[in-house]
Amino acid sequence: MTDDAVHRTAAHVAHDGGAGAEPGGADELDAAPHAAPHAAPLDVAVDRQIEAILMIADEPQSLVSLAAAVGAPVPVVRQAVERLVADFDGLVGTVRRGFELREVGGGWRFYVRADLDAVVEQFVEAERPARLSQAALETLAVVAYKQPITRSQIASIRAVNVDGVVRTLVARGLIEESFTDAETGAINYVTSDLLLQQLGINSLDELPLISPLLEDGAGGFEQNEGIPDGRT
């Protein structure tokens, strides 16, 4: 190979940044700043996805369920939740919100801050209707006779979505959260003492038997539920 050929080959390699280019050279250093900004938006996207899910969730959501929902590893979701908690608490230069993200029953859920309970209660009292709807009465009856019971179980019996009705009954103080299932995270509801007062009875044992109200009598109820009088 002539000297001219060697010079032309060397110039071609230097121009194209071929295999002979050193790692971390000028070409790579120029490209590096363009890749870095993508890390932060990814974290923000996960944070916003989790925030949106928790905003509409009626029950505490575990880190595993959140990770499955957003398609991210559990450690990434845990860090995102920690950032959201700090954000809502005003610990990162943000404004302290009127709600907080709290871990309850093995999952995460939005709650009104304790110091704002009074104003929220006043608002709910002013907004609540004077009488219960037919749907609310039917749902209340299901809870009364089948408690403790979850929203999904109520929905299965009534064959309709009961999320809004259950929230109404909780707001009216007629039913209340009893406990959270350790495996599913589902909240179990029971009737409150206020309901007993409204009905003028001392205990649930004084509720009327449901079997005489069924078309096929107690036999039909026993066949479907295994409970002769409709009370647990």
Side-chain angles (χ1 to χ4, degrees):
M1 180 179 292
T2 65
D3 291 340
D4 291 341
V6 170
H7 287 304
R8 287 196 299 271
T9 302
H12 177 73
V13 171
H15 175 74
D16 290 343
E22 296 182 4
D27 291 338
E28 292 190 14
L29 292 176
D30 290 342
H34 298 290
H38 291 291
L42 178 60
D43 293 339
V44 172
V46 173
D47 293 2
R48 298 290 79 82
Q49 292 178 55
I50 294 175
E51 181 180 351
I53 291 172
L54 293 175
M55 188 65 68
I56 56 92
D58 288 322
E59 297 179 349
Q61 300 297 309
S62 67
L63 293 177
V64 174
S65 64
L66 290 173
V70 302
V74 172
V76 172
V77 172
R78 181 183 294 108
Q79 294 174 0
V81 169
E82 291 174 352
R83 287 194 296 270
L84 289 174
V85 170
D87 182 8
F88 301 146
D89 288 347
L91 302 179
V92 289
T94 55
V95 177
R96 186 172 183 266
R97 314 292 179 82
F99 57 87
E100 62 180 330
L101 185 54
R102 189 192 312 165
E103 186 176 15
V104 176
W108 292 87
R109 185 183 182 189
F110 284 126
Y111 287 88
V112 173
R113 294 194 183 276
D115 55 339
L116 297 174
D117 281 346
V119 66
V120 173
E121 182 178 357
Q122 181 179 357
F123 171 79
V124 172
E125 289 288 341
E127 292 294 316
R128 70 171 51 176
R131 300 181 61 181
L132 291 176
S133 65
Q134 183 65 30
L137 289 172
E138 293 175 1
T139 300
L140 183 57
V142 172
V143 176
Y145 282 97
K146 298 291 295 177
Q147 61 187 304
I149 188 170
T150 65
R151 285 186 300 107
S152 61
Q153 292 171 332
I154 299 172
S156 177
I157 294 174
R158 295 201 56 228
V160 295
N161 186 293
V162 297
D163 293 353
V165 176
V166 168
R167 284 195 294 268
T168 297
L169 293 175
V170 171
R172 297 287 293 269
L174 298 175
I175 66 174
E176 57 191 20
E177 298 179 5
S178 177
F179 63 92
T180 301
D181 189 279
E183 296 182 359
T184 65
I187 298 175
N188 284 259
Y189 294 91
V190 296
T191 52
S192 66
D193 292 338
L194 177 60
L195 178 64
L196 299 180
Q197 297 173 17
Q198 296 290 336
L199 295 178
I201 58 179
N202 294 316
S203 71
L204 295 175
D205 293 333
E206 298 180 36
L207 286 173
L209 300 181
I210 196 173
S211 54
L213 303 178
L214 301 175
E215 294 182 359
D216 55 355
F221 205 99
E222 290 175 345
Q223 181 179 2
N224 295 329
E225 304 292 343
I227 303 175
D229 62 357
R231 290 197 296 264
T232 55

